[in-house]
Amino acid sequence: MDYTILVNNKNLLSSEYIPQDLVEINEPMGSKLDKTYVNKLNIKAYHAFKKMQKDALKEGYEIFIDSSYRTYNYQKKIFDKTVQEKGEKHALKFVAKPGGSEHQTGLAIDIIFRRNNKMIEEQNENDPEIKWLFLNAYKYGFILRYPKGKEKITGFNFEPWHFRFVGKELAKKIFSENITLEEYYILKNRT
Ligand SMILES: [Zn+2]
């Protein structure tokens, strides 16, 4: 598995792409708490998350995985439904195309958290849990994938809840240089 894989609306995965090394994970899923839905994630990313979750808890932050692996067809359903309800322009702006979601790699997670025994479903950049993740996720190999101010580069709106496992080495580079995965590839291809 290439943990640095670049997936976006210009670098699409094929409908046949199914990642290896997926494990079933047992995580509460907030609004999507549905016992028939099996959440899956890349095994290395999952172990890294568990470590991050444990350390977050030491600070008093209870973080969980809301959404992780999604199949091509699942993404297609979300996309088609959004096109139907809100038009293609809206869909292209707010939803990844089929094959354009890195959730299909099994390396991306949407974070949810619990505070005072209540699941918080609307995350924003001022939440202390999110702030802690912004500063610490790289230590576990995760990056904030769609940062604020980089919307034109990533092609996605700011998503403070969406983190992507890229491995510790690249995560540290991306964090310390304040770049995105797209910019990492642009810089890499120049040299
Ligand atoms: Zn996401």
Side-chain angles (χ1 to χ4, degrees):
M1 177 87 213
D2 176 11
Y3 299 110
T4 69
I5 185 171
L6 178 67
V7 180
N8 55 35
N9 279 338
K10 286 179 192 149
N11 296 273
L12 303 172
L13 294 168
S14 87
S15 58
E16 264 99 77
Y17 178 90
I18 297 168
Q20 302 294 307
D21 308 326
L22 289 177
V23 282
E24 288 186 8
I25 61 174
N26 185 18
E27 292 284 325
M29 287 184 297
S31 54
K32 297 182 202 81
L33 198 60
D34 169 0
K35 293 214 166 62
T36 62
Y37 181 90
V38 180
N39 227 353
K40 289 180 188 169
L41 192 66
N42 173 277
I43 185 162
K44 205 174 162 186
Y46 187 51
H47 287 152
F49 172 78
K50 293 308 280 182
K51 204 157 178 272
M52 181 162 80
Q53 185 183 44
K54 212 172 141 197
D55 289 348
L57 191 59
K58 284 179 201 159
E59 305 294 322
Y61 305 137
E62 292 183 75
I63 61 167
F64 302 95
I65 295 171
D66 186 19
S67 179
S68 48
Y69 172 62
R70 288 181 206 150
T71 63
Y72 181 94
N73 285 329
Y74 185 85
Q75 190 64 32
K76 190 171 183 303
K77 258 188 227 161
I78 298 177
F79 186 81
D80 292 347
K81 193 171 172 252
T82 312
V83 170
Q84 233 176 38
E85 287 171 357
K86 298 190 167 163
E88 194 174 1
K89 207 178 157 195
H90 179 97
L92 283 169
K93 204 171 169 199
F94 293 99
V95 183
K97 281 186 203 169
S101 168
E102 55 176 23
H103 281 285
Q104 196 185 335
T105 64
L107 297 171
I109 51 175
D110 291 338
I111 297 270
I112 197 168
F113 45 85
R114 188 165 59 194
R115 212 186 279 153
N116 305 322
N117 275 323
K118 239 184 97 189
M119 293 310 262
I120 309 289
E121 286 161 24
E122 296 267 311
Q123 300 89 350
N124 73 70
E125 59 191 306
N126 296 316
D127 288 315
E129 294 86 349
I130 293 288
K131 279 186 180 168
W132 185 86
L133 286 166
F134 281 1
L135 292 175
N136 294 285
Y138 80 93
K139 295 172 191 166
Y140 308 88
F142 287 94
I143 57 166
L144 172 69
R145 184 64 180 86
Y146 308 120
K148 200 178 189 176
K150 302 266 188 175
E151 294 86 348
K152 287 216 168 86
I153 299 161
T154 62
F156 283 82
N157 277 353
F158 176 44
E159 290 193 2
W161 57 85
H162 180 112
F163 288 81
R164 159 67 197 277
F165 184 77
V166 294
K168 275 186 196 172
E169 197 184 327
L170 182 56
K172 192 176 176 189
K173 184 180 172 68
I174 285 176
F175 176 80
S176 60
E177 293 179 16
N178 196 22
I179 56 173
T180 58
L181 195 54
E182 278 78 12
E183 290 167 289
Y184 164 73
Y185 276 101
I186 293 166
L187 293 167
K188 197 180 160 205
N189 292 336
R190 241 181 239 158
T191 52

